[in-house]
Amino acid sequence: MSAPAIGTTKTAHSDVAPKKKRGPGALATAYLVIYNVVMTAGWLVIAVGLVRAYLVRGSYHGLYFSIEKPLKFFQTGALLEILHCAVGIVPSSVVLTGFQVLSRVFLTWAVTHSVREVQSEDSVLLFVSAWTITEIIRYSFYTFSLLNHLPYLIKWARYTFFLVLYPMGVTGELLTIYAALPYVQKTGLYSVTLPNKYNFSFDYYTFLILTMVSYIPLFPQLYFHMMRQRKKVLAHVEEYKTE
Amino acid sequence: HYTASTRQAHSKHILLQLNSLQYTVFQIAKEFTLPVVCVSVFFLCLSLYLSGLSLYLSGLSLYLSGLSLYLSGLSLYPSGLSLYPSGLSLYPPGLSLYPPGLSLYPPGLSLYPPGLSLYPPGLSLYPPGLSLYPPGLSLYLSGLSLYLSGSLPCPSVSDPQWYAARQSIRLDPKGKSLKDEDVLQHLPVGTTATFYFRDLGAQISWVTVFLTEYGGPLLLYLMFYFRAPFIYAPKYDFTTSKHWVVHLACMCHSFHYLKRLLETLFVHRFSHGTMPLRNIFKNCTYYWGFAAWMAYYINHPLYTPPTIYGEQQVRIALIIFLFCQVGNFSIHIALRNLRPPGSKTRKIPYPTKNPFTWIFLLVSCPNYTYELGSWFGFTLMTQCLPVAFFTAVGFIQMTVWAKGKHRSYLKEFRDYPPLRSPILPFVL
């Protein structure tokens, strides 16, 4: 079992065939379709918002502010996916999904939202755009799978775009965290120091550094896992096509 | 590839052995490359730290030997509080260089009446002992790796690859494993029997795992307690806390793990000899990590003793802790006495004459109840959030185990007392 990297641009559910569901009945399937459609629409809104803001401003700096609210809303909405796994209507592991979603939410709220100074950084645009494209493809992939009408293009896109988007997103995330470090250290954000009544201390600055370090083992694992998935999924289709 | 040969050990038992390639320590290392690499990196860093430490201390010893001559005439050496040697005597290989140097240490560093510094005499003897530590440590580590590979019940040139402890033989591929004591004549098979073999993976004995996972916290906590260098700021090296709660906490923590070590050696009777090898890495990370985390805060120079109810809180917490320690020990003895040595019979535990076992009336797994109580007492005593986390995590894990045990009791015994709960009376 390969652990996913934090804030992965291509969330790798261990689902080569999500169509193989024994769990959800008709009601759950309907709910999931609605959920995935809403999420696809949401991320499309973010994509359109980014493009419009670029056209209006003429430059790609500071585009985060134009899509801040929908980004927060829809990324936080992904927390529902953990619930789906816990209840059983999606055949993924709760721990794996939880880890992925929580890392995304962590980046959205605990880094980008909390440290205002990084919001104007270009690295934010880097990972936001990577996430946007990934999520649009991923949610439409799930929607079509649930309806059993998956166009090959979507499947191909899902298992190919990550090759570029994933490193792009990881770079954006790392640069953002790195940019946030001096401000966190200066203001002591989210940190607790000794002495205090409960004899506990937490240094958010060190925590962020450790987070960055944790990308080193996790990123290659997940990247190569996705590459293996790609070979498996797209190779099957090749065989099927040649028959 | 491999031939299955049945070999009759004696008239009542049949042992299926699969003959194949020899299983070497190298193969074990390949199977667990990542944990082995992590462990070796950890030990490498630890030995680097300790070599640096010994250099620092040899310089310190010159100053202190002069001082000790003056003070040795004045100091008191209360005996009986040398936790180190007794705990360390469980690590014979390689560490035999350690106790001589260090057994001189505790007398000097044992609890002293406030105001009377016993440090320098004991400490002046410490550095020479510690400077022997890194070479001793490397000997210990080589000894440990040999010991671990030896404790895996397999590696000899003529042994088959799948030694008995990792064989799981079942009548049904998804069913339960057959026990060692099962007799072919009493199994539900006809004139032909089909067995399914499953490889359980590399195994390690329970005793080894327990000793390692309990020895670590004992030593690590003491390192923090004595404020070894490079943990806190240099001006605090080898100082002691001015709060008596900290000394008390050290004694309680060390006593707890010492008790566990001794119970592992002399009290517990294990029904399964072995567990999967990867468990030792998982368990040691958990115990050692949490012990270091807790010890860091409790022994910190900026530690704040309990403020809510002060001394009274500490006293009550100590009473709870000791009560639960005795209770835990009583339960272990009671469970041990349920089962005669060597047998694997399973019986319902009942209260005995010992009042601490009367909790059996209400609880299936009172050893976990008392364990929770001990750590709860320790949390109250230290008023430290990491300790509370450790208690909470331990509580969750023990509840899972208690529920499983309770369920298996109910399944196995028809007349199981209905009043009992798994871990907390009436509640859980």
Side-chain angles (χ1 to χ4, degrees), chain B residues 22-228:
Chain B
Q22 295 131 22
Y23 199 67
T24 61
V25 175
F26 178 63
Q27 281 175 292
I28 296 168
K30 268 204 300 185
E31 200 172 318
F32 296 98
T33 316
L34 184 61
V36 167
V37 165
C38 291
V39 166
S40 22
V41 166
F42 166 70
F43 278 117
L44 181 67
C45 295
L46 189 63
S47 52
L48 285 171
Y49 162 75
L50 290 162
S51 338
L53 189 61
S54 64
L55 287 172
Y56 162 77
L57 289 167
S58 0
L60 191 63
S61 69
L62 290 171
Y63 160 70
L64 289 168
S65 5
L67 197 59
S68 72
L69 289 172
Y70 168 68
L71 285 171
S72 41
L74 301 176
S75 62
L76 301 163
Y77 282 80
S79 55
L81 198 76
S82 48
L83 299 165
Y84 249 138
S86 35
L88 274 174
S89 62
L90 297 165
Y91 283 86
L95 261 173
S96 57
L97 292 170
Y98 195 33
L102 202 66
S103 60
L104 297 165
Y105 190 36
L109 260 175
S110 52
L111 290 181
Y112 51 90
L116 193 66
S117 157
L118 297 171
Y119 255 156
L123 193 63
S124 63
L125 297 166
Y126 182 63
L130 193 66
S131 57
L132 293 171
Y133 191 64
L137 184 68
S138 51
L139 284 175
Y140 166 66
L141 289 170
S142 14
L144 182 67
S145 53
L146 288 171
Y147 176 55
L148 275 180
S149 39
S151 71
L152 299 173
C154 98
S156 95
V157 176
S158 58
D159 275 354
Q161 177 176 3
W162 290 293
Y163 44 87
R166 67 189 274 181
Q167 295 174 15
S168 164
I169 298 184
R170 315 155 176 219
L171 290 174
D172 170 45
K174 293 202 204 321
K176 278 187 66 175
S177 216
L178 294 179
K179 300 199 201 41
D180 287 346
E181 310 77 54
D182 284 339
V183 173
L184 190 59
Q185 283 93 320
H186 298 153
L187 290 174
V189 293
T191 46
T192 55
T194 308
F195 293 109
Y196 295 90
F197 166 77
R198 180 194 247 207
D199 177 23
L200 295 172
Q203 299 284 302
I204 187 167
S205 80
W206 273 75
V207 174
T208 313
V209 174
F210 270 32
L211 289 179
T212 323
E213 71 188 16
Y214 296 153
L218 186 65
L219 290 176
L220 280 172
Y221 192 101
L222 287 169
M223 273 180 66
F224 284 88
Y225 174 73
F226 290 125
R227 295 201 185 139

Side-chain angles (χ1 to χ4, degrees), chain B residues 4 7 11 31 46 72 120 163 171 207 235 246 303 367 377 387:
Chain B
R7 185 162 61 85
S11 61
E31 200 172 318
L46 189 63
S72 41
Y163 44 87
L171 290 174
V207 174
K235 65 176 176 180
V246 172
Y303 170 76
N367 49 323
V387 182

